[in-house]
Amino acid sequence: MDFPLTELSLYIMAISVGIFTVIAAITDYKARKIYNVLTVPFFVLGIVYQAVFNGWEGLMYGGLGFVAGFGSFFLIWLVGSGAAGDVKMMGALSIWLGFKATLAVMIVGTLFVLVGSFAILAWSVFRRGAKKTKEQYLATGKSFKGKKKKYVPETMEQKKKRGLMPFALPVVLATWSVTTWMVIKSVVLN
């Protein structure tokens, strides 16, 4: 199912998600958190956008995008591999993008994560050596203190430091890539 967008609605969507992803990336980079004050209003605006520009069909298509984006990242969060802000960010973003563009953002975003992670690890090995890189990024999730080696669980701060990159950056790059492709395709076909 290919959902047609008018030129105006496509530009409004591209500009809106562009602004949203930049703000989310900045807050995720600075605070390692994506705030509800950003995601919830953007989600509501996505519903309004779909209703005004695309009617019931747009609401259904946005809803499918939400199920794909929010649903996938909710499952990732449930198994402990993501943060709640990441889930809400994808939910808010996917209502705007719809089903196919959300899937494209997730696929392209995964490629950006792989390339970015490899680059960060390679740079760390080059700069600090393999042993220090391994100590920083391949933590076991626990540490031991004292002479008797008492187990101390890893704190959230330690987990955050161990993270390779904030989640929002690859999503920004993927979203911009996908929406740019959508705009170019729209201009070329019209």
Side-chain angles (χ1 to χ4, degrees):
M1 173 179 165
D2 198 12
F3 186 76
L5 294 172
T6 66
E7 197 169 308
L8 177 62
S9 71
L10 178 61
Y11 292 147
I12 289 173
M13 184 267 300
I15 291 167
S16 298
V17 299
I19 292 168
F20 171 75
T21 54
V22 166
I23 295 169
I26 290 169
T27 61
D28 197 22
Y29 176 75
K30 287 186 174 185
R32 291 286 184 155
K33 190 172 177 98
I34 302 169
Y35 297 100
N36 290 348
V37 72
L38 176 65
T39 58
V40 173
F42 193 71
F43 173 77
V44 172
L45 286 172
I47 293 171
V48 171
Y49 160 79
Q50 290 293 1
V52 168
F53 285 101
N54 306 310
W56 284 109
E57 191 176 358
L59 285 170
M60 289 185 349
Y61 196 68
L64 286 174
F66 177 78
V67 169
F70 181 87
S72 299
F73 281 84
F74 183 73
L75 293 175
I76 291 169
W77 175 76
L78 279 178
V79 298
S81 289
D86 302 339
V87 177
K88 293 178 283 185
M89 177 184 175
M90 280 307 296
L93 187 60
S94 60
I95 195 81
W96 282 82
L97 295 174
F99 183 71
K100 285 177 79 175
T102 296
L103 291 180
V105 165
M106 291 190 312
I107 292 167
V108 173
T110 300
L111 295 174
F112 279 120
V113 166
L114 291 172
V115 170
S117 297
F118 178 77
I120 289 168
L121 288 173
W123 177 251
S124 180
V125 168
F126 174 74
R127 200 178 94 235
R128 300 171 58 217
K131 185 176 180 180
K132 292 233 186 247
T133 298
K134 181 179 175 184
E135 287 171 3
Q136 179 175 354
Y137 293 117
L138 297 180
T140 61
K142 50 189 165 184
S143 59
F144 298 93
K145 301 249 181 198
K147 291 182 180 180
K148 291 188 177 186
K149 302 286 187 189
K150 183 180 175 187
Y151 168 74
V152 178
E154 185 177 45
T155 66
M156 284 305 288
E157 192 59 37
Q158 289 169 321
K159 274 186 171 182
K160 284 181 182 180
K161 284 183 180 177
R162 196 165 39 91
L164 285 172
M165 72 177 79
F167 169 77
L169 181 60
V171 172
V172 168
L173 297 173
T175 302
W176 289 2
S177 299
V178 169
T179 55
T180 300
W181 172 251
M182 291 169 71
V183 169
I184 290 170
K185 192 170 99 174
S186 170
V187 169
V188 170
L189 294 179
N190 287 333

